[in-house]
Amino acid sequence: MKAEYVNSFFQATIDVFALMLDLKVERGALRLLEDMIPSKDASVLLGMTGDIKGTVLFNFPKDMSLEMVKIMSGMEMNEIDSFVSSAIGEVANIIGGNAVTNLAANNYICDIVTPQVFVGEYKSLSLAKEKALLLPLKTTIGEFDIVLFLKEK
């Protein structure tokens, strides 16, 4: 997987978290996933089309999801309900949109499709025969992952 893919999503995440949540994001060590990927309490699946195709999976723990919504809306939430899942989906959607803009600066023409939000921890998700790159990220309100399943058309 090319560095431009990872860097575009990482920079988009830094920008969105700074603007929407006033949080800094630190990157952990990248890992190659070849079989199953672990999930967290709230996952957002974002498809990509165009010069680069595939999916991007955002995995957030419950406490972090609730804190993100509290920062954005000022409302205290106790469960990942439809409001929280919609907000988390929109954060991932905005990150994806910014990443596509970053990729355009590297002459890739891409688009994203409407995100799908999954609530509840799954033991794992299968990669079938594909490989993915796990980008672990850390903030002061929690740690989350972005899993990139991307390849050039």
Side-chain angles (χ1 to χ4, degrees), residues 52-110:
I52 301 169
K53 64 179 186 172
T55 55
V56 179
L57 181 68
F58 297 81
N59 281 320
F60 299 100
K62 178 181 178 181
D63 291 344
M64 183 178 184
S65 300
L66 298 176
E67 188 63 27
M68 288 168 63
V69 172
K70 180 180 175 185
I71 292 169
M72 290 186 294
S73 70
M75 296 187 313
E76 190 79 39
M77 307 298 287
N78 297 319
E79 294 297 322
I80 300 176
D81 59 11
S82 60
F83 181 78
V84 173
S85 61
S86 176
I88 298 303
E90 191 55 33
V91 169
N93 196 41
I94 294 168
I95 291 171
N98 286 4
V100 165
T101 300
N102 294 342
L103 286 165
N106 289 299
N107 298 315
Y108 292 104
I109 306 301
C110 305

Side-chain angles (χ1 to χ4, degrees), residues 39-47 55-60 65 68 84-94 113-119 122 125 145-147 149:
S39 74
K40 296 192 176 166
D41 302 304
S43 299
V44 183
L45 191 64
L46 190 64
T55 55
V56 179
L57 181 68
F58 297 81
N59 281 320
F60 299 100
S65 300
M68 288 168 63
V84 173
S85 61
S86 176
I88 298 303
E90 191 55 33
V91 169
N93 196 41
I94 294 168
V113 298
T114 305
Q116 295 178 305
V117 180
F118 301 93
V119 176
Y122 301 90
L125 299 171
D145 302 322
I146 299 176
V147 182
F149 309 84

